[in-house]
Amino acid sequence: MAEADAETVATLAGELGYPNEGEMIRARVRAIGEADLLLVAVDASDKAVGFIQAHRVCIIEVGFRVEILGLVVSSSARRSGIGQRLIEEAERWAKRIGAEVVSVRSNTKRIEAHTFYPALGYKKIKTQALYEKAVR
């Protein structure tokens, strides 16, 4: 993913319910740098139709893993295999860097995701609550 993809990524994130400005995405891409895997999927006409962000993390209790932080495929391109190919790329990256596991979290309201991930071999291991506190 490059800063030039920021506007398209902002639009895709908005489709998933995360409205963003292109400049905010651009700044985040710069901040992430090489720490994460960031990929944009394009169609035959070179139009961006999806993206994935995966992050390497070592958690004391469970070990070295890759967590998929975001996966979005445009509503116009869903069910065409793009999401699966993006996941496969993240899994290849995880193997290459020596991760033991790839994990992903999905909001309970994303019904399609809860059939998509198990179809790719992912198993639900727990349900949890997310807590958040603004620090600014």
Side-chain angles (χ1 to χ4, degrees):
M1 182 180 302
E3 289 182 46
D5 299 314
E7 296 299 329
T8 301
V9 169
T11 300
L12 290 167
E15 281 193 37
L16 201 59
Y18 298 99
N20 278 279
E21 300 285 327
E23 190 50 45
M24 291 295 293
I25 298 292
R26 201 170 287 105
R28 291 173 189 154
V29 168
R30 281 192 300 269
I32 290 167
E34 299 297 317
D36 288 11
L37 174 72
L38 298 165
L39 296 174
V40 172
V42 296
D43 64 13
S45 64
D46 210 32
K47 177 185 176 226
V49 292
F51 74 86
I52 190 167
Q53 178 184 3
H55 180 73
R56 66 179 98 199
V57 61
C58 186
I59 302 171
I60 294 294
E61 317 88 274
V62 295
F64 182 42
R65 61 185 44 226
V66 163
E67 184 164 354
I68 296 169
L69 301 178
L71 171 65
V72 182
V73 175
S74 172
S75 58
S76 65
R78 289 187 190 137
R79 302 202 185 286
S80 64
I82 291 168
Q84 180 176 347
R85 288 194 298 277
L86 287 167
I87 293 281
E88 289 167 353
E89 285 300 318
E91 291 171 353
R92 274 192 277 286
W93 179 66
K95 286 179 186 175
R96 196 167 53 251
I97 65 172
E100 301 163 21
V101 171
V102 175
S103 63
V104 60
R105 300 169 197 270
S106 182
N107 193 317
T108 55
K109 69 182 178 182
R110 303 212 188 282
I111 304 302
E112 290 178 347
H114 296 284
T115 56
F116 173 74
Y117 292 113
L120 297 178
Y122 287 77
K123 295 180 179 26
K124 183 177 178 180
I125 59 167
K126 69 179 173 179
T127 302
Q128 64 187 134
L130 173 65
Y131 298 90
E132 190 172 73
K133 179 181 178 182
V135 294
R136 288 191 209 188

